[in-house]
Amino acid sequence: MRKIPLRLDVMGTMVLILLGTVSCGPATSPSRGSGPLAAPARPGAMITILPAQDLFTPFILVIQAHTIVTWDNQDIKAHRISTTPDQQSFLNRQAFSLQAPAGNRVTFTFNLPGIYHYYDPVLDSWNAQFSRVATGKGNGSAPLAMDGVIWVQGSLPALSLATLNHIPVNHDEFALEFIAIHAPGSVSWHNFDEDPHFVGLVPHWSAPINPEDIGIYRMAGSVDVPGGQTVTVSFNTPGLYYYYCRNHDRINDTADRAEALMKASEYPLPMEGFVLVVG
């Protein structure tokens, strides 16, 4: 199937709500965090890089503001740890780029609440067309990429009660990977693609990740419904919701992550997304 560029204004029928201004923080040294807030650091949290796995464990980490996070690199090779280029009012509010030598640890202090999406830019690459981390040829965890998500809990700039996402024509991918809304709120997904797609939570996570079951929603494609189908999901409980399309992904039970099926048009990019619901 021929691919077409990913666009956020597909068919001119949807307007994605801008969730605020972009704020970009400076890169920091491996041993020091940065941010405009001066406060005592909280007890630390740990992310582990196990030998020969090319994964961050856990994949999703939840902390409070002013927490020191330590990446423990138990691998025999060094790893670069950097925020992705994707930034919004709630996403990657403090940019960082750290070098974790083999067998060593590196730390960063997270002062600003929000979502942080990071990866190893040496091992993997940034797919600018889809704003996703794409696993590299030398990644031992392929098709999973070596990326991770950190949710720093706390207040955020004003968020909308409702927003939109969609699936573009000829693509097995959600247009936006990260969305933030205020509770109680809702997210609507529209399927412009020919194939049916699903929205359902990735299993095995517990509150505050996936704090309530939202159900499984099927969106008919344009083959079955002219113009495609829209589903709207209500989110009443604050938390971070991690979802995927079970028609084009499967669950990697070892990492508790969505993993792209080879039939997906954007393989190895998983068809997954995150909704941050703030109370």
Side-chain angles (χ1 to χ4, degrees), residues 96-241:
F96 59 82
S97 183
L98 315 172
Q99 182 72 19
N104 284 269
R105 296 179 173 183
V106 65
T107 64
F108 186 81
T109 303
F110 290 85
N111 293 319
L112 298 180
I115 296 294
Y116 293 85
H117 186 204
Y118 67 93
Y119 72 120
D120 183 338
V122 176
L123 188 65
D124 294 335
S125 62
W126 179 248
N127 186 308
Q129 180 185 7
F130 296 99
S131 295
R132 298 295 198 279
V133 177
T135 185
K137 293 182 179 180
N139 189 326
S141 65
L144 295 178
M146 190 172 184
D147 64 338
V149 176
I150 297 176
W151 173 25
V152 182
Q153 296 179 309
S155 61
L156 286 169
L159 298 173
S160 173
L161 293 174
T163 192
L164 309 173
N165 202 346
H166 71 275
I167 301 163
V169 179
N170 294 345
H171 290 297
D172 299 328
E173 197 61 85
F174 299 106
L176 296 176
E177 185 173 15
F178 293 94
I179 288 175
I181 60 173
H182 196 280
S186 65
V187 177
S188 295
W189 285 268
H190 186 85
N191 183 13
F192 289 109
D193 194 21
E194 296 179 351
D195 304 330
H197 293 281
F198 290 82
V199 170
L201 296 181
V202 174
H204 310 314
W205 294 94
S206 57
I209 303 168
N210 296 346
E212 67 173 348
D213 186 7
I214 63 171
I216 299 174
Y217 298 84
R218 182 183 186 274
M219 292 170 285
S222 59
V223 170
D224 298 322
V225 177
Q229 186 179 23
T230 298
V231 299
T232 299
V233 181
S234 297
F235 293 88
N236 300 309
T237 304
L240 181 62
Y241 293 81

Side-chain angles (χ1 to χ4, degrees), residues 4-80:
I4 64 173
L6 178 66
R7 299 182 57 191
L8 298 183
D9 59 343
V10 178
M11 297 177 65
T13 59
M14 301 184 69
V15 178
L16 298 179
I17 300 172
L18 295 177
L19 300 179
T21 58
V22 173
S23 175
C24 179
T28 64
S29 65
S31 60
R32 298 181 62 188
S34 68
L37 302 180
R42 294 177 180 269
M46 182 76 73
I47 297 172
T48 304
I49 303 172
L50 294 174
Q53 289 196 10
D54 294 334
L55 290 173
F56 296 109
T57 304
F59 172 54
I60 306 174
L61 177 68
V62 182
I63 60 174
Q64 297 291 322
H66 313 299
T67 296
I68 299 174
V69 173
T70 298
W71 284 266
D72 181 18
N73 184 10
Q74 300 177 10
D75 203 358
I76 60 173
K77 62 184 177 184
H79 286 279
R80 171 67 61 178

Side-chain angles (χ1 to χ4, degrees), residues 77-98:
K77 62 184 177 184
H79 286 279
R80 171 67 61 178
I81 305 167
S82 300
T83 43
T84 67
D86 196 7
Q87 289 188 318
Q88 299 183 49
S89 63
F90 65 91
L91 180 63
N92 291 340
R93 301 179 70 196
Q94 288 175 264
F96 59 82
S97 183
L98 315 172

